[in-house]
């Protein structure tokens, strides 16, 4: 089976570059974030709102948690601050994990970071099979994975009995819009691959990151429609608890979106057609 090694390798180089930008101003003042024991990312606040109804006591406190595609660890640290236990973060980018470990050390947070492809997370964590009560991933994750069958099976293998998985991510419709506007630009259905060159990232330039540029500019993304997402999770033995669609997103996914600084979120302004910008799925291991 073609596992798109070349494309994944190109993406890895790109994300190592992005880690430098995001950790040095792109994600705000991380030293301040590390120093404030009550600070949580807006992304995790939105994720928690989706997940809460399916958690004991509506909280991750005391739950063993794995964060897939954790990047530089600010969201992972937020889950730890919410009381999650035996917290693990997994990412394929060594540079991202270096920054994640440094952030955890500054915050004096006991978080375990592991290098691995999210599709094969179970192989990267062989001693944790059936050991996680909660697995989460969100905000720009599965579009970077060529296929989801192994991803779903790894999630099922790592979840404890009655454990819950939550994904909140870019709506599949955005892939077809190519993040440009309301005109369909490319195929919607799973199996579609896109390729583009871009020397920037999705964060706002600041004095700290000094309009830094990505050196490895090639990006590959893959479409994943709802049929695929739900089917692979069910085939892995998980029960779908909820499917949601949401009108806010974590980044400027379309050019007309407006930013609410108080909530750190983007929305379609009044006067434009209102479409979902993100989706969520909650699934449980019976």
């Amino acid at each position: 089976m073609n596992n798109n090694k070349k494309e994944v390798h190109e993406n890895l180089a790109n994300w190592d570059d992005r880690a430098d930008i995001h950790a040095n101003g792109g994600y705000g003042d991380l030293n301040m974030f590390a120093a404030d024991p009550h600070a949580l990312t807006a992304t995790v606040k939105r994720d928690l709102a989706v997940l809460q109804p399916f958690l004991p006591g509506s909280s991750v406190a005391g739950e063993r948690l794995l964060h897939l595609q954790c990047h530089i660890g600010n969201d992972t640290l937020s889950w730890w601050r919410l009381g999650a236990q035996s917290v693990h973060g997994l990412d394929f980018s060594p540079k991202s994990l270096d920054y994640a470990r440094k952030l955890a050390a500054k915050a004096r947070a006991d978080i375990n970071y592991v290098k691995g492809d999210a599709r094969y997370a179970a192989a990267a964590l062989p001693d944790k099979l059936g050991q996680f009560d909660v697995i989460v991933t969100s905000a720009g994750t599965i579009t970077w994975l060529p296929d989801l069958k192994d991803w779903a099976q790894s999630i099922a293998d790592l979840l404890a009995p009655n454990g819950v998985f939550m994904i909140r991510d870019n709506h599949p419709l955005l892939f077809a819009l190519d993040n440009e506007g309301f005109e369909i630009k490319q195929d919607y259905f799973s199996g579609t691959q896109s390729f583009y060159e871009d020397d920037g990232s999705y964060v706002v330039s600041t004095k700290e990151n000094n309009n830094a540029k990505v050196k490895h500019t090639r990006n590959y993304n893959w479409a994943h429609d709802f049929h695929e997402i739900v089917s692979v999770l069910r085939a892995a033995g998980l029960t779908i608890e909820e499917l949601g669609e949401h009108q806010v997103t974590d980044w400027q996914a379309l050019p007309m979106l407006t930013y609410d600084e108080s909530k750190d979120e983007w929305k379609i302004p009044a006067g434009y057609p209102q479409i979902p910008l993100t989706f969520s799925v909650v699934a449980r291991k019976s």
Side-chain angles (χ1 to χ4, degrees):
M1 183 184 73
N2 177 20
N3 61 3
N4 299 93
K5 286 184 178 180
K6 173 184 177 295
E7 292 89 344
V8 171
H9 181 75
E10 297 270 13
N11 284 346
L12 172 56
N14 178 269
W15 276 96
D16 274 345
D17 289 349
R18 291 192 196 214
D20 286 329
I21 296 172
H22 297 169
N24 293 284
Y27 277 17
D29 189 335
L30 292 182
N31 288 324
M32 185 180 297
F33 183 77
D36 181 356
H38 303 293
L40 303 172
T41 65
T43 293
V44 165
K45 290 177 184 178
R46 286 186 282 273
D47 291 345
L48 181 61
V50 170
L51 190 55
Q52 271 183 321
F54 307 95
L55 294 170
S58 300
S59 171
V60 295
E63 301 290 284
R64 298 165 296 177
L65 184 141
L66 169 62
H67 180 200
L68 295 176
Q69 293 175 264
C70 64
H71 194 36
I72 63 171
N74 52 331
D75 291 333
T76 321
L77 175 57
S78 297
W79 289 115
W80 180 85
R81 284 175 169 166
L82 287 167
Q85 300 296 305
S86 186
V87 176
H88 285 66
L90 181 141
D91 201 273
F92 76 152
S93 161
K95 184 69 70 69
S96 294
L97 293 174
D98 286 345
Y99 285 119
R101 292 185 180 105
K102 289 174 183 176
L103 181 64
K106 289 178 183 177
R108 298 184 178 180
D110 184 14
I111 300 173
N112 301 287
Y113 285 106
V114 178
K115 181 181 179 296
D117 185 321
R119 293 175 294 168
Y120 314 117
L125 291 159
D127 60 333
K128 293 295 180 180
L129 300 180
Q131 298 297 309
F132 290 105
D133 305 303
V134 179
I135 299 178
V136 294
T137 191
S138 78
T141 55
I142 59 172
T143 192
W144 299 95
L145 304 180
D147 56 82
L148 298 183
K149 182 179 178 180
D150 292 317
W151 169 84
Q153 190 60 59
S154 276
I155 290 165
D157 290 344
L158 289 163
L159 278 174
N162 204 42
V164 62
F165 166 69
M166 191 281 308
I167 177 172
R168 187 185 61 82
D169 207 344
N170 298 336
H171 197 282
L173 180 58
L174 292 181
F175 190 97
L177 297 175
D178 201 23
N179 308 118
E180 290 186 12
F182 288 119
E183 181 182 348
I184 300 296
K185 295 287 187 178
Q186 54 193 12
D187 292 347
Y188 167 88
F189 294 106
S190 292
T192 305
Q193 176 181 301
S194 71
F195 160 77
Y196 62 97
E197 298 268 358
D198 189 357
D199 65 0
S201 190
Y202 50 83
V203 295
V204 177
S205 295
T206 66
K207 181 175 66 176
E208 288 77 14
N209 64 40
N210 195 29
N211 198 30
K213 299 297 183 183
V214 169
K215 295 178 182 178
H216 300 89
T217 58
R218 291 189 178 184
N219 296 260
Y220 295 88
N221 286 172
W222 292 270
H224 300 294
D225 58 41
F226 281 127
H227 178 263
E228 180 192 10
I229 296 165
V230 170
S231 295
V232 295
L233 291 170
R234 293 185 64 208
L238 303 184
T239 299
I240 305 300
E241 299 273 352
E242 183 180 71
L243 172 64
E245 295 179 296
H246 313 282
Q247 291 180 277
V248 301
T249 188
D250 304 78
W251 64 292
Q252 191 176 10
L254 295 171
M256 80 292 295
L257 299 190
T258 55
Y259 182 59
D260 183 338
E261 187 174 0
S262 66
K263 297 180 180 179
D264 190 17
E265 67 184 21
W266 297 81
K267 294 184 68 173
I268 299 174
Y272 286 88
Q274 298 298 309
I275 63 171
L277 298 173
T278 54
F279 79 94
S280 59
V281 175
V282 178
R284 189 177 299 277
K285 184 174 182 177
S286 301

